[in-house]
Amino acid sequence: MREDSFVLKGNICYAKTKDQLSVTDQGYLVCCQGVSKGVYPVLPEEYRNLPVTDYQDMLIVPGMTDLHIHAPQYPFRGLGMDLELLEWLDTHTFPEESRYKDLDYAEKAYGIFAEDLKQSATTRAVVFGTVHVPATDLLMEKLEDTGLVTYVGKVNMDQNSTDDLRETDAVTALDATAAWIKETKGKYQNTRPILTPRFAPTCSGPLMEGLGKLQREYGLPVQSHLSENLSEIEWVKELFPWSSCYGDVYEHYGLFGGQAKTVMAHCVHSSDTEVELMKKKGVYVAHCPQSNINLSSGIAPIRRYLEEGIPVGLGTDMAGGANISMFRCMADAVGVSKLYWRLADQGKRPLAMEEVFYLATKGGGSFFGKAGSFEEGYELDALVLDDKGIRSTRTLGTKERLERCIYLAEEGKRLAGKYAAGKKVI
Amino acid sequence: MREDSFVLKGNICYAKTKDQLSVTDQGYLVCCQGVSKGVYPVLPEEYRNLPVTDYQDMLIVPGMTDLHIHAPQYPFRGLGMDLELLEWLDTHTFPEESRYKDLDYAEKAYGIFAEDLKQSATTRAVVFGTVHVPATDLLMEKLEDTGLVTYVGKVNMDQNSTDDLRETDAVTALDATAAWIKETKGKYQNTRPILTPRFAPTCSGPLMEGLGKLQREYGLPVQSHLSENLSEIEWVKELFPWSSCYGDVYEHYGLFGGQAKTVMAHCVHSSDTEVELMKKKGVYVAHCPQSNINLSSGIAPIRRYLEEGIPVGLGTDMAGGANISMFRCMADAVGVSKLYWRLADQGKRPLAMEEVFYLATKGGGSFFGKAGSFEEGYELDALVLDDKGIRSTRTLGTKERLERCIYLAEEGKRLAGKYAAGKKVI
């Protein structure tokens, strides 16, 4: 018997589309060789030889994808929330990230990060490291050990950063990046490299051009930041006066979708031109509601992106966000969409619970291919939620229990089991 | 030795003003007969006979006041967040509250509520019950048993509610309320009645007039709702066309500050006239940021209220808010103030961590008199926070640890001790 072939029994709930929730009470979720064979009210004959774990009255939902998270910022989560983006980077973020040149520090910090992420609702993540290759290698090893599925980026920045963190020049940066890709591509089962220009202001033209070449050479995906903050957007316009929009800078260097699968964090203040380009190139939006609150960035127009058919997932943006909980992230996404409706545009109705659940699972999961759903053919990521700790006089249905888990985030709920890519993680 | 005279040792932190945080590492907090004698770096000779509890490296902060919480709504926390206020009341709230005519149901529901509130960061609360006198009596008993300090209101509403919940008429409602006041006033040590017209739309003129008379007769404080939602404000204007603003309706009947100590929840959309009246009459604002998000109400202009000198505290507004955590409430208050600054008025700078800590402790605590501070003469409410579960590479100062506790809300932190009005609760 392979360890990645099994059946889970419980109250099973997953998003088929953003408007369609599938609920099977006391159902059977079948996993063969790491891949879902679907959910059944009665276990089909052909799967009766598989081992069944009966989670009784617990909820079983797909694992969540955190589309944007900075591993090195985990040590200062919940601290220094009094600044906007650019001052926050200089005051809190860059000094912390410069510590990762010390591998002993990285060992300790990434050890905590990887263990806490393993214990969270996240089964897949698109992760920023730092500019340091040895520390990023270490991060990849630690994440591989968790059993989670991740893309991890060695950050690139050769300008507009602190002396401690800035890469010497574009050539040095590109050489180091190429060597890192060669070393890590294909090395791990669940952990893959992703190209990671930090954001346009910290990357020279030659660096971005070189990264575009590496993208084409190795076929890697790309992650970066886009239109998070108004001052940042002004700065990009000054640095790249030829660009039609912030996203056009990445596009110019071949780092904005198309054959380069790309996820851009934030997109709070994207112009019409930029939205058009994102749509045309199939660029993913990593919506990070809590970070956009904490750094006073604003509220991303997610309803618009959904209407335009732009792919969207959710991100915690640790440590712009203070919590790595994807449950909290879902609740925050609903919350800010309500304030957007009230304060910015009453033509954009708020996100529903079903929609943010879709974004956290299948929406973000699709960046990894077939992930985030229990439909047949999807890689099996699952969470088992024991909500007995949430005491109530009410007897709730599965959908209501899911809703309550989202709004109460980490309160009263226990992760009783976790599976990623068909293997038991917890 | 009296049980309400003792010394607590640890890293002590409290708000003197909204801008001034007092921190004494490894300090001594002295409590004599339930009242603070102040915080000292070295224990004064005169207190050396008191028993000392050494909480070692833990944080000791004042207990928090939840200025607005609906006890009967606790069973449906985290559910039904897809509606605005008036539809939400009809669909979710009134049906739930009607169950409290059944004392067995109330016994179960209020048992859970009281126990969970006891385990929370809240030491004092201003609580809504339902219209039912027996259930409200039961709630008061259960809260008294927790050791927490509360005002509890039997709700009044004689119009615009469901048949199940509406009081028969103003006379019947007032008779029941008067009997309830007589029975409960002075009955408990920590639990006191408060007049509770639900909100203007559900109260007839004669009912409000009678409540005003009861207020003057018994000198009770008053709690209600004010200018939460735009449709609600329109409705109040239709129902009371003579009023200059929503608050003027309460004012007209003697239920709006002055000699009637009053707290009004929300004040999201208060007009200039209303703000002027609140200021003149010293009406407290119970700021409920999470509820204002969940019910798409908007963001209350708290910076303005602080600038005007209007007294402000924080409320969870369970179940408009899904969480009873005052830590989460503080983080939400900072968060919405940042979005207010970004989306509504850049003249109103966001609230700082120190400010929301003040609001949650001394700000709201002042509704109870001298509460929410460790200054000499304050009734002693204290929380002992063990944050060892929040793993980090960082060594943090006490203020930073407090900040992290606020932003991470219930994550990784344990309530290692809790004192209310000078007595150990946990």
Side-chain angles (χ1 to χ4, degrees):
Chain A
M1 192 74 63
R2 298 173 52 121
E3 65 167 2
D4 57 1
S5 298
F6 53 80
V7 176
L8 306 181
K9 181 165 186 250
N11 298 313
I12 300 168
C13 189
Y14 64 97
K16 284 186 170 174
T17 68
K18 73 183 182 56
D19 304 308
Q20 202 189 352
L21 201 66
S22 166
V23 174
T24 308
D25 287 335
Q26 291 304 300
Y28 298 85
L29 168 61
V30 178
C31 178
C32 288
Q33 299 180 23
V35 174
S36 175
K37 292 289 178 182
V39 174
Y40 303 89
V42 176
L43 187 62
E45 191 57 42
E46 63 191 294
Y47 304 124
R48 297 238 165 143
N49 62 330
L50 294 177
V52 177
T53 304
D54 186 349
Y55 284 110
Q56 302 183 333
D57 192 43
M58 296 180 200
L59 301 181
I60 302 175
V61 301
M64 316 255 161
T65 291
D66 189 339
L67 266 190
H68 186 66
I69 178 165
H70 291 265
Q73 296 176 20
Y74 197 61
F76 71 97
R77 68 195 183 283
L79 297 171
M81 293 301 198
D82 51 341
L83 300 171
E84 276 192 88
L85 175 66
L86 301 179
E87 296 75 22
W88 178 79
L89 285 172
D90 285 338
T91 310
H92 297 291
T93 309
F94 290 157
E96 176 66 29
E97 291 195 9
S98 68
R99 296 180 182 202
Y100 289 78
K101 62 174 176 276
D102 173 1
L103 258 189
D104 289 339
Y105 185 81
E107 169 73 35
K108 194 174 165 195
Y110 284 150
I112 295 172
F113 171 75
E115 181 57 27
D116 283 4
L117 196 67
K118 180 178 172 175
Q119 299 296 331
S120 78
T122 299
T123 47
R124 298 184 185 237
V126 185
V127 184
F128 269 62
T130 62
V131 295
H132 315 93
V133 169
T136 305
D137 285 345
L138 183 70
L139 174 60
M140 294 178 87
E141 274 170 38
K142 290 201 175 291
L143 286 171
E144 180 72 10
D145 287 346
T146 61
L148 306 182
V149 184
T150 59
Y151 284 113
V152 177
K154 173 229 165 318
V155 169
N156 283 114
M157 48 180 172
D158 67 343
Q159 64 180 26
N160 293 321
S161 175
T162 56
D163 289 346
D164 253 8
L165 269 187
R166 196 174 41 239
E167 295 176 286
T168 318
D169 53 46
V171 173
T172 315
L174 291 164
D175 286 350
T177 305
W180 168 72
I181 294 169
K182 278 179 214 155
E183 194 215 319
T184 56
K185 196 170 188 296
K187 181 176 178 185
Y188 300 109
Q189 187 171 359
N190 287 331
T191 315
R192 281 158 274 181
I194 182 169
L195 287 170
T196 307
R198 182 173 206 115
F199 69 145
T202 59
C203 299
S204 69
L207 176 56
M208 298 248 263
E209 194 166 334
L211 290 174
K213 279 186 192 146
L214 288 176
Q215 194 288 316
R216 289 185 294 280
E217 187 176 347
Y218 295 100
L220 292 193
V222 177
Q223 65 176 343
S224 195
H225 299 88
L226 184 64
S227 297
E228 176 176 2
N229 169 288
L230 295 170
S231 308
E232 171 207 23
I233 293 170
E234 282 299 303
W235 195 21
V236 171
K237 189 73 204 163
E238 284 166 28
L239 292 167
F240 305 91
W242 48 263
S243 60
S244 65
C245 60
Y246 186 164
D248 184 38
V249 176
Y250 299 117
E251 158 70 5
H252 179 82
Y253 296 109
L255 299 165
F256 203 66
Q259 53 80 41
K261 188 171 61 175
T262 299
V263 58
M264 288 284 159
H266 306 305
C267 307
V268 175
H269 303 283
S270 292
S271 65
D272 288 347
T273 306
E274 188 161 281
V275 172
E276 211 39 58
L277 192 60
M278 287 155 62
K279 184 176 172 177
K280 184 176 151 201
K281 305 303 292 286
V283 168
Y284 275 72
V285 173
H287 176 41
C288 307
Q290 191 184 124
S291 169
N292 299 156
I293 294 171
N294 285 335
L295 299 180
S296 300
S297 302
I299 303 175
I302 298 305
R303 172 64 63 202
R304 177 182 181 183
Y305 298 151
L306 294 177
E307 285 168 353
E308 301 263 12
I310 291 172
V312 178
L314 301 181
T316 61
D317 192 27
M318 173 61 49
N323 306 92
I324 57 168
S325 164
M326 288 298 294
F327 285 98
R328 176 70 187 268
C329 192
M330 285 189 275
D332 288 337
V334 172
V336 299
S337 77
K338 288 175 175 173
L339 292 178
Y340 188 86
W341 172 83
R342 167 60 64 211
L343 297 172
D345 183 354
Q346 300 216 0
K348 299 298 178 203
R349 71 185 157 84
L351 300 180
M353 184 276 276
E354 291 88 340
E355 292 178 304
V356 296
F357 181 62
Y358 169 83
L359 295 181
T361 55
K362 198 174 177 183
S366 67
F367 193 76
F368 287 82
K370 288 191 136 184
S373 174
F374 292 151
E375 289 156 284
E376 191 174 348
Y378 276 69
E379 291 189 69
L380 196 119
D381 298 353
L383 307 175
V384 183
L385 306 175
D386 176 3
D387 61 353
K388 280 196 299 290
I390 308 174
R391 297 187 303 160
S392 174
T393 52
R394 292 276 188 104
T395 305
L396 300 179
T398 297
K399 183 183 160 185
E400 285 178 306
R401 287 169 63 190
L402 173 63
E403 182 181 7
R404 195 176 56 171
C405 284
I406 291 171
Y407 279 102
L408 299 187
E410 299 314 276
E411 181 196 319
K413 174 175 80 259
R414 193 174 66 85
L415 197 58
K418 180 172 175 177
Y419 299 79
K423 296 219 176 104
K424 195 164 181 6
V425 172
I426 297 177
Chain B
M1 191 73 65
R2 296 172 54 117
E3 64 166 4
D4 58 0
S5 297
F6 52 81
V7 176
L8 306 182
K9 182 165 185 249
N11 297 314
I12 300 169
C13 190
Y14 64 97
K16 283 187 171 173
T17 67
K18 74 183 180 58
D19 304 308
Q20 201 189 352
L21 201 66
S22 166
V23 175
T24 308
D25 288 335
Q26 291 304 301
Y28 298 85
L29 168 60
V30 179
C31 178
C32 288
Q33 298 181 22
V35 174
S36 175
K37 292 291 179 182
V39 174
Y40 303 90
V42 176
L43 188 61
E45 191 57 42
E46 63 192 294
Y47 304 123
R48 299 240 164 140
N49 61 331
L50 295 177
V52 178
T53 304
D54 186 349
Y55 284 109
Q56 303 184 332
D57 192 41
M58 296 179 200
L59 301 181
I60 302 175
V61 301
M64 316 258 161
T65 291
D66 188 338
L67 267 190
H68 185 66
I69 178 166
H70 291 265
Q73 297 176 19
Y74 197 61
F76 71 98
R77 67 195 185 282
L79 296 172
M81 293 302 199
D82 51 340
L83 300 172
E84 277 193 87
L85 174 66
L86 301 180
E87 295 74 22
W88 177 79
L89 285 172
D90 285 337
T91 310
H92 298 291
T93 308
F94 290 157
E96 176 66 29
E97 291 195 8
S98 68
R99 297 181 181 200
Y100 290 78
K101 63 175 175 276
D102 172 0
L103 259 190
D104 289 339
Y105 186 82
E107 170 73 36
K108 194 173 166 197
Y110 284 150
I112 294 172
F113 170 76
E115 182 57 26
D116 283 5
L117 196 67
K118 180 179 173 175
Q119 300 297 330
S120 78
T122 298
T123 48
R124 297 182 186 238
V126 186
V127 184
F128 269 61
T130 62
V131 294
H132 315 93
V133 170
T136 305
D137 285 346
L138 184 70
L139 173 60
M140 294 178 88
E141 274 170 37
K142 291 203 175 288
L143 286 170
E144 180 73 10
D145 287 346
T146 61
L148 306 183
V149 184
T150 58
Y151 283 113
V152 177
K154 173 228 167 312
V155 169
N156 284 113
M157 46 181 173
D158 66 343
Q159 64 180 27
N160 293 320
S161 176
T162 55
D163 289 346
D164 252 9
L165 269 186
R166 195 174 42 239
E167 295 175 285
T168 317
D169 53 46
V171 174
T172 315
L174 290 164
D175 285 349
T177 306
W180 169 72
I181 294 169
K182 279 178 210 153
E183 193 215 319
T184 56
K185 196 171 190 294
K187 180 177 180 186
Y188 301 109
Q189 188 170 0
N190 287 332
T191 314
R192 280 158 276 179
I194 182 170
L195 287 170
T196 308
R198 181 172 207 116
F199 69 146
T202 59
C203 299
S204 69
L207 176 56
M208 298 251 261
E209 193 166 336
L211 290 174
K213 278 187 192 149
L214 287 176
Q215 195 288 317
R216 289 185 293 281
E217 186 175 348
Y218 294 100
L220 292 194
V222 177
Q223 66 177 343
S224 195
H225 298 89
L226 184 64
S227 297
E228 176 176 2
N229 169 288
L230 295 170
S231 308
E232 171 207 21
I233 293 170
E234 282 301 303
W235 194 21
V236 171
K237 188 72 204 165
E238 283 165 28
L239 292 167
F240 303 92
W242 48 263
S243 61
S244 66
C245 61
Y246 187 164
D248 185 37
V249 177
Y250 300 116
E251 158 70 4
H252 179 81
Y253 297 109
L255 299 164
F256 203 66
Q259 53 82 41
K261 187 169 63 172
T262 299
V263 58
M264 288 284 158
H266 307 305
C267 308
V268 175
H269 303 283
S270 292
S271 64
D272 289 348
T273 306
E274 188 161 281
V275 172
E276 211 38 60
L277 192 60
M278 287 155 61
K279 184 176 173 179
K280 183 176 151 201
K281 306 301 292 287
V283 168
Y284 275 72
V285 173
H287 176 41
C288 307
Q290 192 185 123
S291 169
N292 299 156
I293 295 171
N294 285 335
L295 300 180
S296 300
S297 302
I299 304 175
I302 299 304
R303 172 65 64 205
R304 177 183 180 183
Y305 298 151
L306 294 177
E307 285 168 355
E308 301 263 13
I310 291 172
V312 179
L314 301 182
T316 61
D317 191 26
M318 173 61 50
N323 307 91
I324 57 167
S325 164
M326 289 298 293
F327 285 97
R328 175 70 187 270
C329 191
M330 285 189 275
D332 288 337
V334 171
V336 298
S337 77
K338 288 175 175 172
L339 291 178
Y340 188 85
W341 172 82
R342 166 60 64 208
L343 297 172
D345 183 353
Q346 301 217 0
K348 300 298 178 203
R349 71 185 156 83
L351 300 180
M353 184 276 279
E354 291 88 339
E355 291 177 304
V356 295
F357 181 61
Y358 168 83
L359 296 181
T361 55
K362 197 173 176 183
S366 67
F367 193 77
F368 288 81
K370 288 192 136 185
S373 174
F374 292 151
E375 290 157 281
E376 191 175 345
Y378 275 69
E379 290 189 68
L380 197 119
D381 298 352
L383 307 175
V384 183
L385 306 175
D386 176 3
D387 61 354
K388 279 197 300 289
I390 308 174
R391 298 186 304 160
S392 175
T393 53
R394 293 277 188 102
T395 305
L396 301 179
T398 296
K399 183 183 160 184
E400 285 178 305
R401 287 168 63 190
L402 173 63
E403 183 181 6
R404 194 176 57 172
C405 283
I406 291 172
Y407 279 101
L408 299 187
E410 298 315 277
E411 181 197 320
K413 172 174 84 259
R414 193 175 64 86
L415 197 57
K418 179 172 175 177
Y419 299 79
K423 294 217 176 106
K424 196 163 182 1
V425 172
I426 297 178

